Amino acid sequence: MLSSARRFFIRRRYLGWTSAAGVCLLLICIIYVLSTGSWEAPKLRAVANGKYADLKKSRYENRNRHKQGPGEYGAGVFLQGEEKKNADELAKKEAFNIIASDGIALDRSLPDVRNPACKSVEYPKDLPTASVVIIFHNEAWTPLLRTAHSVVNRSPPQYLHEVILLDDASYRDRLGEELDKYVQDTWPDGVVKVVRVKERAGLIRARIAGAKAATGDVLIFLDSHCEANEGWLEPLLARIKEKTDAVLVPDIDMISSETLQYIPTGSGSVGGFWWSLHFSWRPMPKREAVRRKSEIDPVRLEPLLARIGENSSRVLVPGIDAIDSETLEYSKNGGIAVGGFTWSLHFTWSPFVPTKWELDQGFGKEWQPLRSPTMPGGLFAADRKYFFDVGAYDPGMDVWGGENLEISFRVWMCGGSLEFIPCSRVGHIFRSSHPYTFPGNKDTHGINSMRLAEVWMDEYKRLFYMHRRDLLKQDMGDISERKALRERLKCKSFSWYLENVYPEKFIIDEKVLAYGMVRNPGSNLCLDTMGKDEKTRFDIGLFHCQNGASANEVFSLSQKNELRREEACLDSVGAEGSKVSLNPCHGHKGNQEWRHHKDSGVIVHVPSGKCLDVSGLKSGDSVQLKKCNGGNDQKWTIEHYLDI
Ligand code: UD2
Ligand code: MN
């Protein structure tokens, strides 16, 4: 009895377990089928991987399929009538044409705008992988997703580790669950991820959060309104593989904020800065143009087999390193010299200097890393470990501004390099205003810049405060950790940076004959820019002297006898009674040459022999040029004279 009851019990229990297990298995199958849409359960992983591999491949292979539709091939969209009116109205808030953008496919085709030479560059096959971090706060739907599509479609799948959409506490419609769903449906392989921060971090802390979430070898940051173009990824990864402490900036093309046209503006420019700590674009310095031609990076980047595969009529020699015959110490020699011969017909090593013929062949010209003093900030690549080692970003910086110069100065001063990579092209919508709020209406660019000036600029911070005296009363928070970072990394001085990285930068009060207020003592009027931006041309004004309180009245008399601001010089055609304009300095004297005699006080325009004059003028007028007469209206003092 007992035993049959027990058997029955055991049997019941056994049955219970088996049926529970069966139900579970069934459930797992159903969940799997529902989530993958596949009935091939037994093959599970293999099929899934295979499917996604195909998906990746086909996305990449079809990236340039020319489709019909607005905006294809990078074309602009020109709206008319009612639609244009609506778009203009919306642009006041969005700062770009959202209607045009919404009409363009999220994966539109683009023209390959690279220099043709870029197309034949062979990159190593074993490149590091990339985590692309796209931060956004309340970005419009189509530019955000177009950025993600362009990255996934134009990156060889084996190098794209992930795309992180880092949501900086957006509250705009669609950017919550709808975005999550779109991402899951569109990229079921998980290559695109949405990561969210709890409260508004501002772009600097948002990028730090994105970088922390990333797990690829290389971090690439993009703004949330970009389009990565053909071949954009490989040159960045190849250079970082070669030099892990290089921070790289792609050549940035313009996507019109009005028509969304992709305009290949990327050029040989580099980054500079104003002493007010705003970023500026600058033409490529001559020294870079010269240096780049004599570089041999392409040789180092192209492994022997790849070169032979490309053209079998080549004979290739590896860079030969030295192994010391006594100590067996291995030292790097390879790649710095080529072979020559002596007239006695012995082989010699000779330094590599390309000939005109080689240069004409495009040798070493097109895709050399181009060193830049600064970067605009939004689009760059850095080895992930290096990014953190060199101090990521200053987490004390809020919302927007300043972090781009901070990381530029820091990378150079702490031993790395900042390079523009011409073969990597990415478009960006340049907007004229910010389509988001600045909590507390703070001047975040000013205060962030103050933090960077205090930590990195040593005594040169004086030139920043000259423009921003107002900030001296402001609280910039604690900067002790950033100072400690500079100590720890044993970074060089800002004067080293100016001398070695940015020797073209005009230093208002160094190596000049005189600087400061240019005053006519009789009238107490001073030369004054009247608050105009020196990027534009205008006539130099006169204003009551502000006794050093206004940067508008700071001019320098340079060693080249220019009377100038940071980039612009007093310029005149020399006509009697004419005004004097401020034009970009050309450095060739001519109409920009002035002579000041400290004793007589005159300021003479050299080519015309005429004098700067205030007769009959009042505060608010423009200064004039008149025949020299030795009168008080032509006497000037400059605030500081330097003995050099
Ligand atoms: C430029 C940079 C930008 C940044 C800035 C200086 C380029 C092309 N762009 O301004 O990346 O370096 O100079 O600080 O070089 N964002 C947030 N949270 C915020 C505010 C902004 O996530 O609180 C995002 C925003 O959605 C965008 C990115 O930060 O993706 C940059 O903002 P932006 O496009 O307004 O800056 P931009 O291009 O005028
Ligand atoms: Mn931007």
Side-chain angles (χ1 to χ4, degrees):
M1 271 298 281
L2 197 79
S3 67
S4 67
R6 225 175 111 199
R7 258 202 319 271
F8 178 65
F9 183 58
I10 290 169
R11 211 173 126 80
R12 280 282 307 266
R13 205 168 60 174
Y14 176 67
L15 265 181
W17 280 117
T18 42
S19 54
V23 169
C24 279
L25 207 69
L26 199 69
L27 267 175
I28 290 172
C29 286
I30 291 171
I31 290 170
Y32 173 76
V33 163
L34 284 179
S35 66
T36 62
S38 163
W39 285 102
E40 297 168 89
K43 288 189 225 154
L44 286 188
R45 294 225 134 253
V47 169
N49 282 338
K51 186 171 83 185
Y52 293 145
D54 284 351
L55 181 70
K56 283 178 174 175
K57 214 168 133 215
S58 85
R59 279 191 307 235
Y60 181 63
E61 281 170 1
N62 289 320
R63 65 199 183 276
N64 291 324
R65 199 183 28 167
H66 193 70
K67 299 176 289 261
Q68 298 295 318
E72 285 302 324
Y73 209 59
V77 172
F78 298 85
L79 304 176
Q80 278 165 353
E82 206 49 29
E83 232 178 1
K84 177 159 175 22
K85 254 184 143 173
N86 284 343
D88 289 347
E89 194 51 40
L90 286 167
K92 288 182 194 154
K93 178 171 153 266
E94 305 282 352
F96 83 111
N97 188 338
I98 190 170
I99 297 189
S101 178
D102 290 355
I104 297 174
L106 292 176
D107 60 347
R108 73 158 159 183
S109 52
L110 291 178
D112 182 350
V113 298
R114 291 173 297 170
N115 184 313
C118 296
K119 297 174 197 169
S120 52
V121 175
E122 278 280 338
Y123 296 103
K125 297 280 174 276
D126 55 340
L127 293 175
T129 62
S131 287
V132 179
V133 176
I134 300 167
I135 54 159
F136 66 98
H137 173 71
N138 283 353
E139 184 63 79
W141 178 263
T142 49
L144 172 66
L145 288 165
R146 197 170 293 117
T147 310
H149 276 279
S150 74
V151 167
V152 175
N153 291 2
R154 295 202 182 81
S155 304
Q158 67 275 30
Y159 304 136
L160 185 64
H161 181 69
E162 62 192 343
V163 177
I164 294 179
L165 299 180
L166 192 292
D167 176 8
D168 182 13
S170 302
Y171 45 84
R172 190 179 176 134
D173 273 1
R174 308 185 73 184
L175 296 181
E177 279 172 22
E178 192 179 342
L179 178 65
D180 292 343
K181 184 165 183 326
Y182 181 90
V183 166
Q184 274 156 22
D185 293 350
T186 314
W187 297 288
D189 52 351
V191 67
V192 181
K193 306 170 175 128
V194 183
V195 179
R196 295 196 157 90
V197 294
K198 285 202 189 70
E199 52 187 54
R200 176 90 178 268
L203 79 86
I204 294 111
R205 288 187 292 269
R207 282 207 196 119
I208 299 176
K212 284 187 177 158
T215 52
D217 303 324
V218 172
L219 293 168
I220 304 185
F221 296 98
L222 295 180
D223 275 6
S224 46
H225 33 263
C226 290
E227 281 173 79
N229 207 335
E230 188 63 19
W232 78 294
L233 187 61
E234 297 92 322
L236 299 174
L237 299 178
R239 179 62 179 154
I240 289 198
K241 177 182 159 76
E242 203 184 38
K243 185 172 189 295
T244 47
D245 62 354
V247 172
L248 308 178
V249 181
D251 223 347
I252 305 177
D253 291 317
M254 186 199 229
I255 301 172
S256 162
S257 61
E258 279 168 33
T259 67
L260 276 289
Q261 185 186 349
Y262 189 102
I263 306 167
T265 34
S267 60
S269 304
V270 296
F273 65 88
W274 296 95
W275 287 111
S276 60
L277 296 182
H278 287 94
F279 171 82
S280 67
W281 291 107
R282 297 188 44 77
M284 185 195 305
K286 234 193 231 139
R287 66 187 153 77
E288 278 304 284
V290 169
R291 186 188 65 80
R292 291 173 78 218
K293 284 181 202 156
S294 64
E295 276 279 313
I296 53 163
D297 285 20
V299 177
R300 269 187 282 141
L301 270 178
E302 290 172 345
L304 304 183
L305 291 178
R307 294 282 292 181
I308 290 188
E310 205 180 281
N311 178 347
S312 54
S313 62
R314 281 176 177 154
V315 176
L316 304 175
V317 181
I320 304 176
D321 290 334
I323 301 172
D324 190 283
S325 59
E326 278 176 26
T327 63
L328 295 195
E329 188 188 349
Y330 188 101
S331 55
K332 262 188 151 179
N333 260 349
I336 51 171
V338 293
F341 63 91
T342 64
W343 285 115
S344 61
L345 298 185
H346 290 91
F347 171 85
T348 79
W349 291 106
S350 93
F352 178 76
V353 183
T355 62
K356 185 171 174 314
W357 174 77
E358 277 168 320
L359 294 177
D360 288 347
Q361 306 271 306
F363 187 90
K365 243 191 194 165
E366 309 307 343
W367 57 289
Q368 294 303 312
L370 162 59
R371 293 188 291 210
S372 174
T374 71
M375 67 157 137
L379 289 58
F380 69 95
D383 176 81
R384 183 161 59 89
K385 180 170 179 307
Y386 177 71
F387 176 76
F388 285 107
D389 286 350
V390 78
Y393 275 126
D394 175 359
M397 289 189 173
D398 286 331
V399 188
W400 184 95
E403 93 295 341
N404 53 334
L405 296 187
E406 195 261 353
I407 196 172
S408 304
F409 296 166
R410 175 159 46 87
V411 162
W412 278 118
M413 288 165 65
C414 307
S417 62
L418 184 59
E419 303 172 1
F420 280 23
I421 304 293
C423 285
S424 174
R425 305 285 289 251
V426 180
H428 169 262
I429 306 178
F430 288 90
R431 303 181 291 202
S432 54
S433 61
H434 302 290
Y436 43 76
T437 57
F438 282 67
N441 276 334
K442 274 206 262 172
D443 168 15
T444 60
H445 174 271
I447 297 171
N448 293 348
S449 301
M450 189 173 172
R451 290 178 68 89
L452 96 87
E454 290 290 339
V455 177
W456 298 101
M457 289 174 74
D458 307 327
E459 67 277 15
Y460 291 90
K461 67 185 179 192
R462 68 181 184 273
L463 299 176
F464 170 62
Y465 288 123
M466 194 174 90
H467 288 271
R468 299 301 311 268
R469 258 170 247 283
D470 59 304
L471 285 173
L472 287 166
K473 298 182 275 300
Q474 297 260 6
D475 177 14
M476 63 176 169
D478 180 16
I479 53 167
S480 55
E481 280 192 23
R482 300 307 281 178
K483 288 194 152 171
L485 171 81
R486 183 171 166 180
E487 280 294 302
R488 196 167 67 242
L489 296 178
K490 301 199 172 25
C491 307
K492 298 195 179 80
S493 67
F494 196 70
S495 81
W496 173 88
Y497 167 85
L498 287 174
E499 219 167 282
N500 295 283
V501 180
Y502 199 1
E504 299 81 16
K505 184 68 199 153
F506 183 68
I507 304 169
I508 300 165
D509 58 358
E510 277 182 12
K511 297 186 196 142
V512 294
L513 303 176
Y515 72 92
M517 284 180 296
V518 182
R519 176 202 303 258
N520 172 255
S523 62
N524 198 31
L525 290 175
C526 276
L527 297 187
D528 197 301
T529 61
M530 313 300 273
K532 294 209 182 81
D533 188 329
E534 65 173 287
K535 280 179 266 181
T536 59
R537 291 172 188 229
F538 59 87
D539 293 332
I540 284 291
L542 288 169
F543 203 77
H544 299 300
C545 296
Q546 304 288 302
N547 296 325
S550 167
N552 292 347
E553 296 188 346
V554 178
F555 290 83
S556 310
L557 183 63
S558 74
Q559 289 179 339
K560 286 185 177 168
N561 286 305
E562 298 149 323
L563 206 48
R564 62 178 286 174
R565 302 274 296 177
E566 268 180 78
E567 306 271 334
C569 280
L570 265 66
D571 192 316
S572 169
V573 287
E576 179 69 12
S578 64
K579 293 174 180 168
V580 175
S581 56
L582 199 69
N583 287 353
C585 298
H586 51 52
H588 302 301
K589 301 193 171 188
N591 285 345
Q592 297 185 348
E593 188 179 4
W594 303 82
R595 253 183 232 269
H596 173 55
H597 299 277
K598 194 174 162 189
D599 298 334
S600 67
V602 289
I603 295 181
V604 182
H605 180 238
V606 173
S608 66
K610 298 207 168 72
C611 282
L612 270 193
D613 179 298
V614 298
S615 60
L617 300 178
K618 54 182 191 316
S619 186
D621 291 341
S622 301
V623 72
Q624 62 199 359
L625 206 59
K626 288 217 155 157
K627 190 160 183 275
C628 298
N629 58 25
N632 282 343
D633 289 340
Q634 298 186 348
K635 285 198 167 49
W636 301 89
T637 59
I638 302 183
E639 196 177 357
H640 305 281
Y641 292 92
L642 302 189
D643 294 325
I644 37 174

